[in-house]
Amino acid sequence: MADISPIYSLKDVHLTFGVHPLFSGLNIYVNKGDKICLIGRNGSGKSTLLKVIAGIMEADFGTCFIQPNTKIAYMPQDEDFSAFSTLKDVILSGLNEKEQNQTYKADILIDSLCIRSEQNPSTASGGERKKAALARALVGEPDLLLLDEPTNHLDIETIEKLETIIRDFKGAVIVISHDRQFLNRISNTTIWLDRGIAHLNNKGYIDFEKWQEQIIEQEIIEQKNLNKRIAEETEWLHKGVTARRKRNMGRLRRLQQLRLERKEQIKQLGSVHMTIDKGLIQSKMIIEAKHVSKSFDNRCLVDNFSIRVLRGNKIGIVGPNGSGKTTLIKLLTKRLEPDSGSVRLAKNLEEAYFDQNRISLDPTKTLWKTLCPEGDHIFVRGHFRHVVSYLKDFLFTSSQANTPVNALSGGEKNRLMLAVALAKPSNFLVLDEPTNDLDMDTLDLLQEVLSEYEGTILIVSHDRDFLDKVTTSLLYIDGSGKIAEYVGTYTQLLSDLKDKKNRSAPMKKNDVSSKSIINKPLEKTVKKGLTFTERHLLEQLPELIHQQNEKVSVLQTQLINPDIYQNPDEVRHVSEKLQNEQKKLEELENKWLDLQIKSEEI
């Protein structure tokens, strides 16, 4: 660290809400140059702690030390900009009285973050408002920068700019975020807020899961004789951490298989789409869009776009802020009529919609009444569940069931929105920025739920790690109206776009075009870097795995037949052969997975 003494510290801080202590004996030390990620479950007090550090809230008691002349800037999750006429006015409000003649700093940030500075905050998009809030926090060049979910609503280009700003920032930063890749890239210190205790690790978020597991395992040893509630909670946390790791390989294997299937679907539809049997379309086709176009104010957002979305596809929609992602969602779900072209939806489509603005939540209702207006059971995926039991699936405690919605944190409200959306019978999910304000545990839960969901999903998100782990393909919108489907991860797509942009930039310096960076799918670049033999094998393995699966199925069918058990030698022979064929199948699957992972790492 740059200085020996901290620029800010909290010692033995206590804060109670109602009858429950939020913090008890909390100790925080911040040194110049620290890039701290603040981690904790929704409702653990992360946002409240930032407010205490910012001086907006006072602790019940404890000691606070701030080095003289230390300037603190705070950006909350949501801000009220109703008092400002333009976004530039918002940014300038970050300058104090002595800095009023330094408006050039605001102009620099406006240019760097591409902010539409003259736009009225009331009509600005969530992304534009977030960029203005960031600029307001940065413009005064604080010594300590406090950021609460800064990546919400931001497109990937702005997130990457923010990463650079934070890495180059000379002061200290404390940031709350759900974006794992963002935290991996900017943090060098981690504070884990867990049940009122702040655990400190002098390493970034990249080391968090391993460190968290060590703490939990130690707690299990130390707390096994404490009260039952703490022991059960600690055991649940421990199981959650280790179980996630065990499931990761299986989920990755399944997701990679789905991506291969989606790639084959695209090829098949491209070659024979005029001759597909009508009955087959009705049973498998969810959305069919043909030559769809849509413009607003002479600006084309969707230009001659066609796609078929089949049952089981999980498609992420990505692109810069204002590029038309929401417009595309509305077109594909027939909430908006196209200027030209057509959209056809499958019959009996049951849609569940996740609303990022939470307008469907009644703040005066309790969690119980929100999910279950009458009685105490809710019908979920073909079964009746007690409403409290269902709430526990989304990490709510039984005591929170009768809590009003307006008492929840932002992340808890999003969790409740997910519970509402996923409780409805559906075969089609539309999720608009579902990861905003969610903690890591809830993100893991959501990833698992969506991975196991058998229906079709459209997801708008900028969260790279989340999209990498959930989607089978992506629709990339560049803002010019061109839309391309990409079968691969979001991380690969961003890398491919950068490579393509770098290759094309030197060719014609005077020919600046606003056309799409890509006009056709880029999935072939996934195999870049493999040897010819490895590429050939990777292409052949899905068919070999299919053939091997058929062999295993034949042998399994033989063992199901009761007649075979009249001949013990035959049973032994078939069983041994089945074991060998299953081993070969596992070897083929592992080989395919190794090559697929290698291609993605490259």
Side-chain angles (χ1 to χ4, degrees):
M1 302 300 173
D3 291 344
I4 296 176
S5 59
I7 61 172
Y8 185 96
S9 66
L10 291 174
K11 187 175 181 181
D12 196 28
V13 168
H14 293 246
L15 180 63
T16 299
F17 278 169
V19 297
H20 299 291
L22 194 59
F23 311 133
S24 180
L26 193 70
N27 296 296
I28 299 285
Y29 300 92
V30 182
N31 297 288
K32 185 178 180 180
D34 279 353
K35 305 296 188 293
I36 300 171
C37 61
L38 180 57
I39 306 300
R41 292 172 65 181
N42 292 138
S44 63
K46 303 186 298 296
S47 296
T48 302
L49 177 57
L50 279 197
K51 290 178 182 177
V52 170
I53 296 172
I56 297 171
M57 293 183 64
E58 289 188 6
D60 296 335
F61 62 88
T63 303
C64 172
F65 168 77
I66 307 175
Q67 275 196 15
N69 301 317
T70 295
K71 186 176 181 180
I72 299 176
Y74 166 64
M75 191 201 77
Q77 286 185 31
D78 300 299
E79 296 192 73
D80 181 8
F81 292 156
S82 59
F84 301 100
S85 300
T86 67
L87 292 178
K88 186 170 183 177
D89 292 337
V90 171
I91 299 167
L92 290 174
S93 68
L95 297 171
N96 60 35
E97 292 183 7
K98 296 180 181 180
E99 299 166 336
Q100 292 302 308
N101 63 340
Q102 299 177 9
T103 57
Y104 66 91
K105 293 180 179 178
D107 294 331
I108 292 172
L109 287 166
I110 288 169
D111 183 62
S112 174
L113 296 174
C114 302
I115 300 172
R116 298 174 183 174
S117 58
E118 298 308 314
Q119 191 169 12
N120 190 304
S122 63
T123 59
S125 67
E128 287 297 320
R129 290 166 59 87
K130 181 65 74 172
K131 288 192 287 186
L134 279 168
R136 179 168 74 168
L138 291 164
V139 70
E141 298 180 345
D143 302 293
L144 175 57
L145 181 63
L146 309 175
L147 303 175
D148 195 347
E149 295 287 1
T151 63
N152 280 359
H153 307 293
L154 294 185
D155 57 40
I156 190 63
E157 183 178 356
T158 308
I159 291 174
E160 290 178 341
K161 288 179 181 178
L162 180 59
E163 290 171 357
T164 301
I165 289 171
I166 291 177
R167 284 197 299 263
D168 296 342
F169 189 70
K170 294 180 181 179
V173 180
I174 303 179
V175 60
I176 299 171
S177 179
H178 64 271
D179 189 326
R180 284 178 165 93
Q181 290 196 33
F182 174 73
L183 294 180
N184 283 342
R185 294 178 181 184
I186 61 99
S187 62
N188 59 25
T189 305
T190 304
I191 295 176
W192 177 30
L193 193 59
D194 179 47
R195 288 161 288 167
I197 299 173
H199 302 278
L200 175 67
N201 185 23
N202 291 318
K203 294 181 180 179
Y205 181 77
I206 198 167
D207 189 61
F208 174 68
E209 286 198 0
K210 180 180 177 182
W211 170 64
Q212 179 196 40
E213 191 169 350
Q214 291 171 348
I215 292 175
I216 292 172
E217 288 176 347
Q218 184 62 33
E219 282 188 7
I220 289 175
I221 296 172
E222 294 175 354
Q223 296 181 349
K224 61 182 179 181
N225 295 322
L226 292 181
N227 66 72
K228 183 179 180 181
R229 179 174 175 272
I230 294 178
E232 286 180 348
E233 183 178 359
T234 303
E235 183 180 3
W236 179 88
L237 282 168
H238 175 258
K239 287 180 178 178
V241 171
T242 54
R244 282 199 301 273
R245 292 190 178 183
K246 290 178 180 178
R247 286 193 297 265
N248 277 345
M249 285 303 290
R251 284 167 55 188
L252 174 62
R253 192 190 306 258
R254 181 173 177 271
L255 181 58
Q256 297 292 6
Q257 183 62 40
L258 288 171
R259 284 183 178 142
L260 284 176
E261 290 175 6
R262 180 57 184 166
K263 187 184 296 186
E264 290 304 313
Q265 288 169 1
I266 294 170
K267 290 178 182 177
Q268 292 167 9
L269 292 173
S271 59
V272 297
H273 110 249
M274 295 302 293
T275 60
I276 293 178
D277 182 76
K278 184 176 179 180
L280 184 62
I281 293 175
Q282 288 179 336
S283 63
K284 291 188 177 181
M285 189 278 296
I286 302 300
I287 301 172
E288 183 179 40
K290 292 182 178 181
H291 309 295
V292 171
S293 296
K294 188 68 180 179
S295 298
F296 290 102
D297 299 325
N298 296 320
R299 182 191 171 198
C300 183
L301 292 179
V302 179
D303 182 16
N304 194 30
F305 176 62
S306 299
I307 191 174
R308 281 187 177 172
V309 179
L310 304 187
R311 186 177 63 236
N313 292 164
K314 297 171 184 178
I315 299 176
I317 300 176
V318 298
N321 289 136
S323 59
K325 298 185 295 295
T326 301
T327 298
L328 180 60
I329 282 279
K330 290 181 178 180
L331 288 169
L332 293 179
T333 57
K334 300 196 75 170
R335 287 178 168 83
L336 186 66
E337 287 296 318
D339 296 335
S340 60
S342 63
V343 176
R344 185 165 66 93
L345 300 180
K347 294 180 179 179
N348 302 320
L349 198 62
E350 296 180 309
E351 179 190 285
Y353 179 73
F354 177 89
D355 164 33
Q356 65 163 314
N357 297 315
R358 308 169 191 145
I359 58 176
S360 60
L361 288 181
D362 184 343
T364 62
K365 282 187 177 181
T366 64
L367 277 66
W368 185 309
K369 292 299 182 183
T370 298
L371 282 167
C372 190
E374 297 180 1
D376 56 8
H377 281 74
I378 183 171
F379 193 71
V380 181
R381 292 185 288 278
H383 302 282
F384 279 101
R385 296 278 306 279
H386 193 280
V387 63
V388 174
S389 173
Y390 183 64
L391 281 168
K392 286 182 179 179
D393 288 351
F394 291 84
L395 311 182
F396 291 106
T397 63
S398 55
S399 61
Q400 288 179 292
N402 290 305
T403 300
V405 170
N406 58 15
L408 300 178
S409 68
E412 288 172 322
K413 288 176 182 176
N414 265 21
R415 233 194 285 154
L416 181 60
M417 280 293 302
L418 288 170
V420 172
L422 297 175
K424 298 175 181 177
S426 70
N427 47 33
F428 181 40
L429 284 180
V430 181
L431 305 176
D432 188 2
E433 294 286 1
T435 64
N436 285 352
D437 302 327
L438 295 183
D439 58 38
M440 302 303 182
D441 286 329
T442 310
L443 273 175
D444 287 333
L445 170 68
L446 179 59
Q447 288 170 8
E448 187 169 339
V449 169
L450 297 183
S451 295
E452 295 175 354
Y453 184 71
E454 295 180 356
T456 304
I457 308 176
L458 295 181
I459 308 173
V460 176
S461 180
H462 297 293
D463 190 316
R464 291 158 288 185
D465 185 75
F466 175 77
L467 289 174
D468 284 354
K469 292 179 178 177
V470 171
T471 59
T472 56
S473 65
L474 302 166
L475 293 178
Y476 174 73
I477 309 176
D478 69 352
S480 72
K482 300 299 181 184
I483 302 171
E485 182 163 15
Y486 180 90
V487 182
T489 68
Y490 191 20
T491 302
Q492 292 165 352
L493 171 61
L494 294 171
S495 177
D496 290 338
L497 289 171
K498 286 179 181 178
D499 289 345
K500 200 172 187 70
K501 190 174 182 179
N502 291 336
R503 288 196 303 269
S504 62
M507 293 176 63
K508 292 184 180 180
K509 293 183 179 179
N510 297 325
D511 183 17
V512 180
S513 173
S514 63
K515 292 185 179 180
S516 173
I517 296 173
I518 53 176
N519 294 308
K520 59 181 180 179
L522 300 172
E523 67 268 15
K524 290 183 179 179
T525 58
V526 173
K527 298 176 186 176
K528 174 184 171 183
L530 296 176
T531 66
F532 174 80
T533 302
E534 287 174 328
R535 287 199 303 271
H536 181 71
L537 181 57
L538 186 56
E539 292 172 353
Q540 296 297 316
L541 276 171
E543 178 60 28
L544 294 175
I545 290 171
H546 175 70
Q547 293 174 4
Q548 192 63 27
N549 260 313
E550 290 186 341
K551 293 180 181 179
V552 170
S553 298
V554 169
L555 292 170
Q556 288 174 333
T557 302
Q558 290 180 23
L559 285 176
I560 293 174
N561 187 350
D563 295 338
I564 194 175
Y565 291 95
Q566 297 177 9
N567 188 340
D569 292 337
E570 181 67 11
V571 172
R572 184 165 50 255
H573 172 70
V574 174
S575 298
E576 291 175 354
K577 192 173 181 181
L578 174 61
Q579 188 175 1
N580 290 333
E581 296 300 334
Q582 285 176 327
K583 185 177 180 180
K584 291 178 183 178
L585 176 60
E586 184 178 356
E587 289 172 353
L588 288 171
E589 289 177 335
N590 287 336
K591 184 62 178 176
W592 170 81
L593 185 61
D594 290 342
L595 289 175
Q596 191 69 32
I597 292 174
K598 181 180 177 181
S599 70
E600 292 185 4
E601 289 175 347
I602 292 170

